[in-house]
Amino acid sequence: MTEHAKAVDWLNRCGLDRNRLAELTGYSAITIWWFLQGKVPPKRNEKSGGTSRKVKPWVWLRWKRACGDVDAEINGRKPGQRFDW
């Protein structure tokens, strides 16, 4: 299962929508929409010379950590427990 498919599944299990997740993480709803597609907006990587529409690994990590904090808040995960969708 792809990272973005896992994120969609997690979002559904938590009963959240993009707007609520945006409020909880500080990411915009449109940015979350792109994450859930597993892509970046067209021409996003052109500035750095790239043409790939894939989300870069360190960007996934930042977003996954933000979602992990939301998960801990909502589901009561204990500190130190690793988050993995």
Side-chain angles (χ1 to χ4, degrees):
M1 186 181 267
T2 63
E3 196 76 8
H4 65 276
K6 291 177 189 177
V8 170
D9 186 50
W10 169 79
L11 193 66
N12 291 330
R13 283 194 324 268
C14 289
L16 298 171
D17 63 16
R18 289 190 321 250
N19 293 322
R20 181 67 180 134
L21 187 56
E23 291 172 11
L24 294 169
T25 61
Y27 282 95
S28 69
I30 191 66
T31 298
I32 292 170
W33 184 86
W34 282 108
F35 272 118
L36 298 177
Q37 302 303 307
K39 299 178 183 176
V40 296
K43 300 186 180 188
R44 175 72 180 168
N45 291 329
E46 275 186 6
K47 290 180 184 177
S48 61
T51 57
S52 173
R53 300 268 320 270
K54 285 185 173 183
V55 178
K56 294 179 180 175
W58 62 88
V59 177
W60 271 119
L61 179 61
R62 288 180 195 154
W63 192 58
K64 190 172 183 177
R65 288 189 179 225
C67 291
D69 285 348
V70 169
D71 186 76
E73 185 177 322
I74 291 172
N75 296 318
R77 199 169 32 85
K78 295 177 184 172
Q81 284 183 315
R82 190 170 184 92
F83 172 71
D84 192 20
W85 302 119

